[in-house]
Amino acid sequence: MDDVTIERAAALVKATCAGKARRPVIRSFFDEPTFTASHVVYDPETREAAIIDSVLDYDPASGRTSSASAQAILDFVKSESLEIVWQLETHAHADHLSAAPWLQEKLGGKLAIGSGILEVQDVFGKIFNAGTRFARDGSQFDRLFTDGDSFRIGGIDAIAVHVPGHTPADMAFVIGDAAFIGDTLFMPDFGTARADFPGGDAHRLYRSIRRLLSLPDETRLFLCHDYKAPGRDVYAWETTVGAQRASNIHVHDGVTEDAFVTMRTRRDATLTLPNLIMPSVQINMRGGKLPEPEENGTRYIKIPLDTL
């Protein structure tokens, strides 16, 4: 079956690499406590920009939030005189709280995620017993992208690519010659994302990865996380399709779907849940907005016992 979305994305990458379309400028910010890479991508001529996968600091011991990580992004945006037009989330993260609402309040931009968030809201709304006040229709976001949707950042074309498997809502964003791929892939020496969360599926993850790896080899890939593979001393979050196809330890060219699923399933069975999954999913399924205060004026995070 023809994949029109990937064909369009590949054409965009090729046009950008050939100098026929404007190349985005990207500045990344790494939050070491959550091992998360956030990205600011912008058109150098119009100065329009998007912020992708921002982080709100959270101390699980005290339950306190802070905005130091997001402030670094805000300071950069101001210093470069950028106009934020998008606050993009690749998925509802399970390892950090999103700072998108905080940044949106100060910088603007439409908050967007993949339309698969409706499935995430339904599943985790039940797990957290969120009640009828929690809307499960994606209305917490300004736009829900579906596969193949187009948008722009200044004069730079962008295409949303649905890449489920890690979660049902995972979306990659191909912007010029760069693809922001969330948790589908890590650096080639570290492999791929897990697929054992509710709604995750290793078969779907493999197929999503192969879609991404059918983009031109020169496509720049920007990741959401890095954990420093054994023998590597520095964090890294940028690679290419060519590098992933040649040497990703889990899914390089020649690895079959059955082999990948067997590996991924066995590996996932050994993994513990992310430290911040309880607050992260509970808040991120709400578009990063904190729970409403209760009668005493305090906000609370629920911890379902013996469930996950």
Side-chain angles (χ1 to χ4, degrees):
M1 180 182 296
D2 292 337
D3 192 330
V4 176
T5 295
I6 292 299
E7 290 177 359
R8 290 174 49 225
L12 174 58
V13 171
K14 290 177 181 177
T16 306
C17 291
K20 299 177 181 178
R22 203 172 300 161
R23 192 171 192 251
V25 177
I26 295 146
R27 170 72 157 84
S28 300
F29 298 80
F30 191 73
D31 180 64
E32 190 167 350
T34 62
F35 306 102
T36 302
S38 304
H39 310 286
V40 177
V41 52
Y42 64 94
D43 179 338
E45 294 192 19
T46 68
R47 315 304 288 178
E48 288 191 4
I51 298 171
I52 303 175
D53 292 336
S54 57
V55 175
L56 183 71
D57 302 308
Y58 176 76
D59 176 23
S62 65
R64 290 190 175 275
T65 62
S66 62
S67 55
S69 296
Q71 184 67 47
I73 294 176
L74 185 150
D75 291 344
F76 173 77
V77 168
K78 294 289 189 181
S79 71
E80 295 296 319
S81 301
L82 303 180
E83 177 189 356
I84 300 302
V85 293
W86 291 103
Q87 303 274 353
L88 301 175
E89 297 288 345
T90 55
H91 62 295
H93 308 277
D95 38 38
H96 70 272
L97 280 62
S98 170
W102 187 88
L103 287 164
Q104 188 179 38
E105 180 182 350
K106 299 180 181 304
L107 297 171
K110 293 181 179 179
L111 175 58
I113 198 169
S115 60
I117 189 64
L118 274 66
E119 184 177 343
V120 173
Q121 289 179 332
D122 181 59
V123 169
F124 281 96
K126 294 172 183 174
I127 289 174
F128 290 114
N129 196 29
T132 57
R133 294 180 64 188
F134 171 53
R136 293 161 170 82
D137 58 3
S139 58
Q140 300 86 349
F141 300 85
D142 299 311
R143 180 163 176 184
L144 302 182
F145 284 112
T146 60
D147 189 66
D149 280 352
S150 298
F151 61 103
R152 290 174 67 81
I153 299 172
I156 298 174
D157 288 326
I159 299 171
V161 182
H162 188 211
V163 286
H166 174 60
T167 79
D170 280 68
M171 191 68 70
F173 301 107
V174 179
I175 303 172
D177 67 331
F180 299 84
I181 62 173
D183 285 13
T184 52
L185 288 163
F186 299 134
M187 292 299 288
D189 59 1
F190 203 86
T192 58
R194 66 196 297 167
D196 60 331
F197 293 151
D201 185 289
H203 287 282
R204 296 183 82 189
L205 179 60
Y206 178 87
R207 294 165 194 166
S208 293
I209 289 170
R210 294 318 306 181
R211 288 187 83 201
L212 291 173
L213 296 188
S214 65
L215 292 170
D217 282 354
E218 60 268 31
T219 308
R220 295 186 288 165
L221 300 181
F222 289 85
L223 317 180
C224 189
H225 295 289
D226 186 54
Y227 304 95
K228 286 198 295 193
R232 176 157 55 85
D233 296 328
V234 296
Y235 291 108
W237 48 80
E238 181 180 354
T239 181
T240 65
V241 165
Q244 294 282 11
R245 292 184 62 175
S247 59
N248 186 285
I249 59 171
H250 293 167
V251 72
H252 57 79
D253 284 356
V255 175
T256 66
E257 181 172 340
D258 286 345
F260 173 81
V261 170
T262 297
M263 177 282 301
R264 191 68 266 170
T265 302
R266 288 175 178 170
R267 182 174 174 83
D268 288 350
T270 71
L271 301 177
T272 58
L273 289 175
N275 291 335
L276 298 185
I277 187 171
M278 297 297 183
S280 295
V281 175
Q282 221 164 143
I283 289 170
N284 294 338
M285 70 182 187
R286 293 178 164 89
K289 298 175 180 66
L290 301 179
E292 291 296 321
E294 298 193 7
E295 292 82 357
N296 62 357
T298 301
R299 305 175 192 270
Y300 289 89
I301 294 294
K302 291 182 177 180
I303 306 295
L305 299 178
D306 303 319
T307 301
L308 292 176

